[in-house]
């Protein structure tokens, strides 16, 4: 479903992604972790073309990235993206946030889009907040609206870029719960997160990145109990001690 | 003496009214054209095509950096040399719409740049075209950000319209000149002219202040 082959990216002289080789199968949940600046966000931003890359290849849902704008848009309809900072549209209500793309990109009728939007907002536990504007919602609620907004396009793949990092601790679980149920429904997911509990629970594979490269890739059991790389061990000792 | 003069000024009310009508119609028409053109300018100035943005920037800076009176003269006296004959009113509208578009364009561009990039990223990530991102996500937020400055700019432009009296249009300022020929009390005549400008502009000033207050109370 997602196929990186020798992908390289530079920001000027800085080598942010080096020789990335990774393939994610349909229905697989891959958690990406690593210290800040390791390139993990850049990695998943490549998958829906938010970041261009200079060398190597990336095929997502049969589409080679780096083609025309029109093909990129077609691909983006199939790939949901959830941002660390939510990026909800502040001038639109929760329901309008969720229906905007289905109406204008999928060309759904307003009635159908709203029906789908209401169902999704109810699914993420916000059935009573449809008419609220983002600034009237808590961080956890906003992020759940953002997840519903992505799901409204009925994507085949969901990407999460540190979805709980901007949240107060007591709101993290309400977002993770939604993600766990999505994973159990068989969604193909790439998740950048430091929530190791989430990784243990639903990840099929965990990837550790450092300095732009994939340092370790393993099943959660192996990753947490018997990491091979020193840097992985060092990182785990820091994130797991609390 | 004063009352007699006031009475004579009142006798000139058709001229005064004509002047007000001219100033209002010139301003409304020019601001309408200026807003439409100004949004186009702003989108280009904040856009991804940097060459086009810089070229337009040069054009905009030229008109922001030269006196409006001169621009009116250029349209009214110099364009006819190239074979384009324009009435004084058309010349006034062209000069004023143009300068309005230049100022409004820069304000709109600053508003577009003030919308966080995460907004267009989120819209792009859902498959929207650039035009859709602009129309549904970026512009509505940019407009909210710049509305108070835009309205302030409208007031400045309406006042600047007094310059068109120089090419013979009977606007509010020229109506004052006409009246003062026969009523030798400049203070009184131009006091009334000034009051008329204020009455035209004040609603805008009021709206702008109201909106600024509302902006502070509701975070975007």
């Amino acid at each position: 479903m997602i196929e990186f082959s020798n992908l390289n990216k530079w920001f000027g002289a800085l080598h942010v992604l080096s020789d990335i080789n990774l393939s994610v199968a349909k229905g697989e949940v891959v958690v990406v972790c690593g210290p800040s600046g390791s390139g993990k966000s850049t990695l998943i931003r490549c998958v829906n073309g938010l970041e261009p890359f200079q060398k190597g290849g990336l095929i997502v849902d049969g589409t080679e990235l780096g083609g025309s704008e029109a093909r990129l848009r077609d691909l983006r309809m199939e790939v949901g993206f959830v941002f660390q900072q939510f990026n909800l549209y502040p001038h639109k209500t929760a329901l309008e946030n969720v229906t905007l793309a289905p109406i204008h990109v999928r060309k759904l009728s307003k009635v159908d889009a709203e029906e789908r939007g209401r169902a999704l907002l109810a699914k993420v536990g916000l059935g009573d907040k449809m008419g609220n504007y983002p600034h009237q919602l808590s961080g956890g609620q906003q992020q759940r609206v953002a997840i519903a907004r992505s799901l409204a396009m009925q994507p085949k793949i969901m990407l999460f870029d540190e979805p709980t990092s901007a949240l107060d601790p007591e709101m993290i679980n309400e977002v993770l719960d939604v993600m766990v149920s999505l994973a159990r429904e068989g969604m193909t997911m790439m998740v950048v997160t430091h929530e190791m509990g989430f990784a243990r629970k639903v990840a099929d594979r965990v990837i550790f990145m450092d300095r732009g490269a994939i340092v370790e890739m393993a099943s959660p059991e192996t990753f947490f109990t018997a990491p091979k790389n020193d840097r992985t061990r060092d990182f785990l000792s820091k994130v797991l001690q609390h | 003496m004063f009352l007699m003069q006031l009475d004579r000024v009142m006798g000139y009310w058709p001229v005064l009214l004509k002047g007000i009508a001219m100033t209002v119609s010139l301003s409304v028409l020019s601001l309408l054209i200026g807003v439409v053109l100004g949004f186009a300018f702003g989108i280009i100035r904040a856009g991804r095509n940097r060459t086009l943005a810089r070229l337009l920037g040069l054009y905009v800076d030229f008109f922001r950096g030269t006196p409006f009176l001169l621009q009116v003269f250029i349209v009214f006296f110099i364009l006819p040399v190239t074979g384009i004959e324009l009435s004084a009113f058309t010349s006034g509208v062209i000069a004023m719409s143009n300068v309005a578009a230049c100022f409004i364009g820069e304000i709109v561009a600053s508003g577009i740049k003030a919308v966080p990039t995460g907004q267009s990223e989120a819209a792009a990530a859902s498959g929207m075209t650039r035009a859709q991102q602009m129309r549904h996500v970026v512009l509505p937020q940019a407009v909210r950000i710049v509305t108070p400055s835009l309205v302030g700019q409208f007031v400045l432009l309406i006042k600047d319209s007094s310059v068109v009296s120089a090419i013979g249009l009977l606007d509010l300022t020229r109506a004052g000149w006409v009246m003062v020929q026969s009523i030798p009390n400049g203070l009184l005549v131009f006091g009334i002219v000034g009051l008329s400008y204020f009455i035209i502009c004040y609603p805008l000033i009021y709206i702008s202040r109201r909106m600024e207050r509302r902006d502070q109370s509701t975070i975007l």
Side-chain angles (χ1 to χ4, degrees):
Chain A
M1 200 86 179
I2 305 173
E3 192 85 42
F4 291 82
S5 47
N6 281 314
L7 185 139
N8 280 273
K9 178 180 170 67
W10 288 266
F11 280 130
L14 189 69
H15 201 174
V16 283
L17 291 176
S18 63
D19 290 327
I20 301 292
N21 283 292
L22 168 68
S23 82
V24 178
K26 191 172 189 302
E28 204 178 7
V29 176
V30 174
V31 163
V32 185
C33 61
S36 64
S38 59
K40 52 199 191 307
S41 288
T42 311
L43 180 83
I44 68 161
R45 285 166 61 88
C46 284
V47 177
N48 74 341
L50 283 178
E51 295 284 350
F53 51 87
Q54 284 80 35
K55 229 179 98 191
L58 174 54
I59 298 172
V60 179
D61 189 29
T63 301
E64 173 102 47
L65 269 98
S68 70
E69 287 260 325
R71 286 185 63 193
L72 180 59
R73 281 199 303 274
D74 286 343
L75 174 64
R76 282 170 169 171
M77 291 163 72
E78 310 301 333
V79 182
F81 198 101
V82 175
F83 297 85
Q84 181 177 356
Q85 300 294 340
F86 330 134
N87 295 347
L88 290 181
Y89 310 131
H91 58 302
K92 299 201 173 286
T93 63
L95 186 61
E96 288 165 350
N97 264 278
V98 174
T99 57
L100 187 68
I103 290 172
H104 296 287
V105 180
R106 285 263 191 234
K107 308 293 179 199
L108 245 61
S109 72
K110 192 161 182 262
V111 178
D112 291 346
E114 282 183 353
E115 189 184 318
R116 187 188 288 181
R118 281 200 195 90
L120 281 166
L121 283 171
K123 185 181 159 186
V124 298
L126 294 171
D128 54 339
K129 303 284 185 196
M130 313 229 190
N132 289 46
Y133 285 89
H135 74 268
Q136 299 168 318
L137 300 171
S138 72
Q141 291 171 333
Q142 289 190 50
Q143 193 61 297
R144 285 184 280 152
V145 173
I147 294 172
R149 174 174 70 175
S150 291
L151 292 176
M153 291 295 282
Q154 301 188 325
K156 296 178 185 155
I157 299 168
M158 283 289 283
L159 307 170
F160 294 84
D161 185 8
E162 304 207 37
T164 57
S165 300
L167 297 177
D168 290 335
E170 76 270 21
M171 293 170 181
I172 289 176
N173 279 330
E174 62 191 63
V175 172
L176 289 179
D177 288 346
V178 171
M179 292 167 60
V180 166
S181 70
L182 204 55
R184 299 225 160 110
E185 284 164 24
M187 178 64 80
T188 309
M189 290 163 68
M190 278 185 82
V191 184
V192 174
T193 186
H194 289 162
E195 293 298 328
M196 293 302 139
F198 173 80
R200 274 215 176 91
K201 211 187 252 174
V202 294
D204 296 299
R205 265 186 301 164
V206 183
I207 289 173
F208 176 72
M209 284 184 76
D210 193 22
R211 291 175 224 158
I214 294 179
V215 173
E216 185 141 2
M217 175 151 52
S219 69
E221 304 95 76
T222 325
F223 186 85
F224 291 113
T225 55
K228 291 190 198 76
N229 193 287
D230 284 345
R231 280 184 276 171
T232 315
R233 274 196 289 273
D234 184 46
F235 175 79
L236 285 176
S237 72
K238 281 174 190 150
V239 296
L240 291 179
Q241 69 193 196
H242 38 247
Chain B
M1 185 65 188
F2 176 80
L3 283 179
M4 247 176 66
Q5 285 177 340
L6 189 65
D7 197 47
R8 286 186 59 192
V9 170
M10 287 306 129
Y12 271 94
W13 69 267
V15 176
L16 191 68
L17 216 60
K18 252 190 196 159
I20 292 175
M22 174 58 75
T23 290
V24 169
S25 55
L26 185 72
S27 300
V28 168
L29 195 57
S30 303
L31 286 180
L32 279 177
I33 300 171
V35 163
V36 173
L37 215 56
F39 270 79
F41 280 15
I43 291 168
I44 294 171
R45 287 282 289 142
R48 292 217 312 170
N49 188 335
R50 293 323 293 163
T51 319
L52 195 61
R54 282 202 196 97
L55 277 176
L56 183 63
L58 214 63
Y59 177 86
V60 164
D61 285 349
F62 176 77
F63 286 99
R64 295 206 306 167
T66 50
F68 182 48
L69 180 61
L70 194 83
Q71 297 169 20
V72 173
F73 283 160
I74 289 176
V75 175
F76 189 61
F77 293 116
I78 302 184
L79 282 188
V81 176
T82 65
I84 308 165
E85 286 292 339
L86 298 168
S87 71
F89 184 75
T90 315
S91 302
V93 169
I94 289 176
M96 208 171 143
S97 314
N98 178 62
V99 81
C102 289
F103 279 100
I104 291 168
E106 290 305 287
I107 294 174
V108 170
S110 75
I112 290 173
K113 288 180 191 157
V115 176
T117 49
Q119 290 293 310
S120 40
E121 273 188 358
S126 67
M128 285 191 210
T129 62
R130 291 196 174 281
Q132 287 174 326
Q133 296 166 32
M134 189 53 78
R135 180 169 159 226
H136 298 295
V137 176
V138 179
L139 266 190
Q141 296 181 59
V143 166
R144 274 178 209 212
I145 295 168
V146 301
T147 302
S149 345
L150 269 187
V151 177
Q153 189 63 50
F154 292 170
V155 173
L156 290 177
L157 288 163
I158 292 171
K159 292 191 297 182
D160 272 353
S161 75
S162 67
V163 163
V164 299
S165 59
I167 52 170
L169 279 179
L170 186 77
D171 75 328
L172 195 42
T173 302
R174 188 151 197 94
W177 281 113
V178 170
M179 287 189 284
V180 90
Q181 307 299 318
S182 50
I183 306 158
N185 188 341
L187 182 64
L188 177 67
V189 169
F190 284 103
I192 289 171
V193 168
L195 192 67
S196 307
Y197 272 111
F198 181 72
I199 291 169
I200 296 170
C201 292
Y202 186 71
L204 286 175
I205 296 173
Y206 178 78
I207 292 168
S208 152
R209 192 169 298 146
R210 279 279 302 270
M211 280 188 301
E212 259 171 89
R213 212 174 302 146
R214 195 196 60 189
D215 241 37
Q216 280 159 4
S217 58
T218 62
I219 310 292
L220 269 176

